[in-house]
Amino acid sequence: GDSKYGMTPKQITEAYRIMMSKGVKHFGIHCMAASCCLDDNYYPKLANMLFKIVVEMKKLGINIEIVDLGGGIGIPYRPSEKAVDIHAIGEGVRLEYDSILAPQGIKVAIYTELGRWITGPNGYLVASVHGRKDTYKKYVGLDASACDLMRPAMYGAYHHMTVLGKEKDEPAGNFDVVGGLCENNDKFAIDRALPKTNYGDIIVIHDAGAHGRSMGYNYNGLPRCGELLMNERGQVKLIRRSESLDDIFATFDVDEDFNYQS
């Protein structure tokens, strides 16, 4: 396919042989095959493929100790989507292990990278309305931008959003919900049905716990927002302050005596 990841089965075998010839003693295998998959069968099917590679490598004298199934387990960004059954997924992987590896007497450690599944639903980007415009389209402008949540701007990802206190209000139309960057793709939503909004209304963008702050950046010299953490008792603590202009320039270092003239 067109993925930048991985290698062909033939290349995998050759790669292990090269590493063995250079004295490598411990081996693992890792796969990055999907992103935000809501199919409970995805992980078991992937495990089946990787476990079979482990068996084939064993025949060549290559003992793989770690199988990393990577990430790929998704979350339901849209209200109409159904969450995965993580217990059914785990049981499916176990059945593949017992069917393929156990009969060969092979034991491996199984790793996963479920960052999105763990953090995604537990984070929200909270912004306020500070602009409205009605031209060729209707726009709602926020005091947040793609600097705070890049996914919608980068590849059109959907994030559900609600206007606090107006969750049950009827839509007043379809709006593009945008940030203030000088990039036309700085949009959190396109043609999204929303209730009537006023200046100062709070809009909550859901499922922003993954690929939010970690993908943040300082385009246009904008400082990134802070982060608040709520514990199980409902107590809230500031765990990361908002950036300042001093932070933006903290890594800028030019000697005052530097001669700019040629």
Side-chain angles (χ1 to χ4, degrees):
D2 61 356
S3 174
K4 71 175 184 178
Y5 307 108
M7 57 184 70
T8 67
K10 182 178 180 180
Q11 290 171 332
I12 291 174
T13 302
E14 183 62 19
Y16 282 125
R17 284 175 171 165
I18 291 173
M19 288 189 290
M20 287 185 68
S21 70
K22 294 183 179 296
V24 176
K25 303 295 184 183
H26 302 282
F27 300 95
I29 187 168
H30 171 269
C31 188
M32 174 65 177
S35 179
C36 201
C37 183
L38 295 176
D39 182 358
D40 289 351
N41 294 314
Y42 162 64
Y43 244 28
K45 288 180 179 179
L46 177 61
N48 177 285
M49 179 181 70
L50 295 181
F51 292 163
K52 287 179 178 177
I53 293 176
V54 172
V55 172
E56 290 303 310
M57 294 302 104
K58 178 74 172 180
K59 295 176 182 178
L60 299 175
I62 301 168
N63 296 316
I64 295 179
E65 303 170 13
I66 296 172
V67 174
D68 189 336
L69 298 174
I73 302 298
I75 60 174
Y77 284 100
R78 298 175 183 269
S80 59
E81 293 175 333
K82 181 182 177 182
V84 299
D85 184 340
I86 200 68
H87 298 289
I89 292 172
E91 177 62 12
V93 172
R94 186 191 68 80
L95 291 174
E96 296 294 341
Y97 188 104
D98 290 346
S99 173
I100 299 171
L101 296 183
Q104 303 293 327
I106 299 175
K107 295 182 179 180
V108 299
I110 298 177
Y111 289 8
T112 61
E113 302 170 28
L114 302 182
R116 185 204 306 266
W117 184 81
I118 295 170
T119 65
N122 298 305
Y124 301 84
L125 176 60
V126 181
S128 62
V129 175
H130 74 162
R132 294 184 300 168
K133 188 174 76 165
D134 188 352
T135 52
Y136 301 104
K137 299 187 73 174
K138 295 180 179 180
Y139 295 91
V140 173
L142 305 183
D143 61 354
S145 71
C147 291
D148 306 300
L149 182 63
M150 189 193 297
R151 296 183 73 249
M154 189 173 185
Y155 38 76
Y158 179 96
H159 280 265
H160 192 60
M161 56 182 60
T162 53
V163 183
L164 283 189
K166 300 181 179 181
E167 293 86 352
K168 297 182 180 180
D169 289 8
E170 292 295 322
N174 293 333
F175 302 84
D176 282 13
V177 182
V178 303
L181 300 182
C182 57
E183 292 288 345
N184 197 46
N185 68 342
D186 181 22
K187 299 178 180 180
F188 295 107
I190 297 175
D191 294 326
R192 183 69 59 86
L194 290 177
K196 180 182 178 181
T197 58
N198 299 306
Y199 291 100
D201 278 353
I202 302 298
I203 290 186
V204 177
I205 301 176
H206 297 232
D207 303 307
H211 310 101
R213 177 78 184 202
S214 61
M215 291 178 72
Y217 60 120
N218 296 116
Y219 183 63
N220 282 169
L222 288 183
R224 289 176 293 178
C225 63
E227 291 182 301
L228 302 171
L229 178 67
M230 177 184 290
N231 64 19
E232 294 177 345
R233 297 183 297 277
Q235 298 169 321
V236 178
K237 180 180 180 180
L238 179 69
I239 59 171
R240 193 194 303 269
R241 63 168 175 80
S242 297
E243 292 178 339
S244 67
L245 288 178
D246 288 339
D247 295 319
I248 300 297
F249 288 99
T251 58
F252 188 71
D253 185 13
V254 175
D255 193 324
E256 293 181 358
D257 297 327
F258 186 80
N259 185 359
Y260 294 93
Q261 297 180 351
S262 59

